[in-house]
Amino acid sequence: MSIDQMEAVAQAMVAPGKGIIAIDESSGTIKKRFDAVGVPDSEENRRAYREMLLTAPGLAQHISGAILYDETIRQSSKAGVPFTKIMKDAGIIPGIKVDMGAKPLAGFPGELVTEGLDGLRGRLEEYVKLGAEFAKWRAVITIGEDMPSSTCIDANTHALARYAALCQEAGLVPMVEPEVLMDGDHDIETCFEVTEATLRSLFGALYEHNVMLEGTILKASMVVSGKDCPEQADLEEVAESTILCLKSTVPAVLPGIVFLSGGQSDEDATAHLNAMNRLGPHPWPLSFSYGRAMQQAALHLWSKDMAGNFGAAQKIVVERARDNGLAALGQWKKAA
Ligand code: 13P
């Protein structure tokens, strides 16, 4: 893909009223999600579940792309049609998670650094052949006592920049995801400071590595109170803090920002995105790239009767896509 094509893909990923569904759970994470609803974690169940999501009628109206996992990008529907073909025919851009997970950062107990750079050039080439047009790499920043260290932030943003440069070399749009975790009892101001420092470091590293921002998408975490903080910031404060933090750190030339849901309830994830867009116009489209907040209701229903609830679960995922698509326009209204 040329630079111009990468720019076009990045823009299509954040087209008005559209966002991304993240179904790139690693083997360990999907097992956790299936265990929670009593579904045996077999390859066939993972395939059937992802088929339910990807073939939901009308999904493409609000979904521009889907992030897949290594196993999923190689799978097909029950009828034998590769998922990537089903997606492209529907107008949904295939993406792929390419990091190898967050591992303990040596010398910094409690902190993580994402691995996966070794051999990445070859893996990206293969994913391009399999039909991927964008890739995702998730870095994890933990807030705690004396955490995060600047070493942790810089190690992670350096890896993100190397990954992003390799993506563009291969003709893939990098989605760079520095997730500041919600875990902990810290207040929203602490989350703001950590997110600001992380994004500053990230855009510095992307610059140092000659990454073309016009062909890059940021996947950001919202600025929120820690999950266990006794004082929870309200909707408006989350929206205003997140926008202020992004405006202070993210260059306007970036084609778009999408958010992760990070453990927020479905309604909070939608309401926060909507509130941010109501504060616009902003320098970039703000949309979603939700995993749990797109899937959890559908997974729950599907798990109770995989065959019988197939269509009903598809309807739920499309409803979540519609609500989040409206929130990306600032037009969502809470059901009465
Ligand atoms: P959540 O929306 O469940 O946080 O997942 C998004 C994602 O892809 C995290 O990497």
Side-chain angles (χ1 to χ4, degrees):
M1 224 190 285
S2 69
I3 299 286
D4 287 353
Q5 285 169 318
M6 282 186 263
E7 284 188 38
V9 168
Q11 283 163 13
M13 287 164 69
V14 289
K18 290 192 181 189
I20 311 274
I21 180 169
I23 57 168
D24 60 333
E25 297 84 4
S26 60
S27 311
T29 304
I30 194 72
K31 181 175 184 325
K32 213 163 44 177
R33 303 271 187 268
F34 276 8
D35 282 353
V37 293
V39 171
D41 179 37
S42 63
E43 182 181 352
E44 173 50 23
N45 283 345
R46 293 191 296 271
R47 193 206 59 72
Y49 175 61
R50 266 81 180 237
E51 173 170 356
M52 182 276 289
L53 295 171
L54 290 171
T55 60
L59 188 68
Q61 221 182 314
H62 313 284
I63 293 293
S64 57
I67 317 172
L68 309 176
Y69 181 57
D70 181 75
E71 176 185 82
T72 321
I73 199 171
R74 303 168 195 280
Q75 287 175 322
S76 300
S77 68
K78 206 171 172 100
V81 186
F83 284 157
T84 49
K85 174 160 170 45
I86 290 175
M87 293 167 72
K88 290 200 183 197
D89 288 351
I92 296 176
I93 306 168
I96 179 77
K97 183 234 288 295
V98 302
D99 66 69
M100 304 292 267
K103 307 283 158 59
L105 177 63
F108 292 82
E111 299 202 272
L112 301 168
V113 64
T114 300
E115 295 188 349
L117 288 171
D118 288 356
L120 182 57
R121 179 178 272 127
R123 290 195 290 124
L124 294 180
E125 261 172 45
E126 190 193 4
Y127 289 135
V128 168
K129 286 195 191 118
L130 288 167
E133 295 184 29
F134 71 98
K136 185 195 100 172
W137 177 291
R138 171 175 176 257
V140 178
I141 305 296
T142 311
I143 299 180
E145 214 182 316
D146 296 327
M147 291 196 294
S149 63
S150 57
T151 306
C152 172
I153 291 177
D154 292 344
N156 275 294
T157 59
H158 178 261
L160 274 164
R162 285 192 58 200
Y163 137 83
L166 281 164
C167 281
Q168 292 187 337
E169 180 189 271
L172 287 164
V173 172
M175 177 188 272
V176 290
E177 181 184 10
E179 175 173 1
V180 177
L181 292 180
M182 286 166 60
D183 301 338
D185 60 3
H186 54 273
D187 55 19
I188 187 169
E189 287 80 14
T190 306
C191 180
F192 184 103
E193 281 167 26
V194 170
T195 307
E196 184 183 30
T198 301
L199 291 174
R200 268 195 208 299
S201 170
L202 173 63
F203 284 96
L206 293 174
Y207 173 73
E208 296 291 339
H209 287 257
N210 287 340
V211 173
M212 196 208 25
L213 296 185
E214 293 89 329
T216 301
I217 294 287
L218 171 66
K219 177 158 175 168
S221 43
M222 297 180 198
V223 175
V224 293
S225 315
K227 253 193 304 210
D228 302 323
C229 179
E231 214 174 295
Q232 289 291 312
D234 65 15
L235 194 64
E236 288 310 314
E237 193 176 359
V238 168
E240 283 167 15
S241 304
T242 305
I243 295 295
L244 181 62
C245 189
L246 293 171
K247 278 192 181 164
S248 321
T249 53
V250 182
V253 75
L254 203 80
I257 301 174
V258 293
F259 292 97
L260 58 98
S261 58
Q264 295 183 28
S265 69
D266 289 4
E267 186 174 313
D268 280 357
T270 304
H272 284 147
L273 178 62
N274 192 60
M276 285 189 270
N277 277 307
R278 291 187 70 83
L279 296 173
H282 301 305
W284 348 253
L286 298 180
S287 191
F288 61 94
S289 174
Y290 295 156
R292 282 162 285 179
M294 273 297 302
Q295 297 181 52
Q296 55 207 359
L299 172 60
H300 200 247
L301 187 64
W302 176 80
S303 71
K304 290 189 189 148
D305 181 354
M306 295 183 215
N309 286 347
F310 192 89
Q314 288 187 318
K315 282 207 183 92
I316 289 190
V317 80
V318 172
E319 276 167 26
R320 292 297 303 135
R322 188 201 54 217
D323 281 359
N324 290 319
L326 287 170
L329 299 168
Q331 293 172 5
W332 174 77
K333 285 198 177 55
K334 187 175 168 159

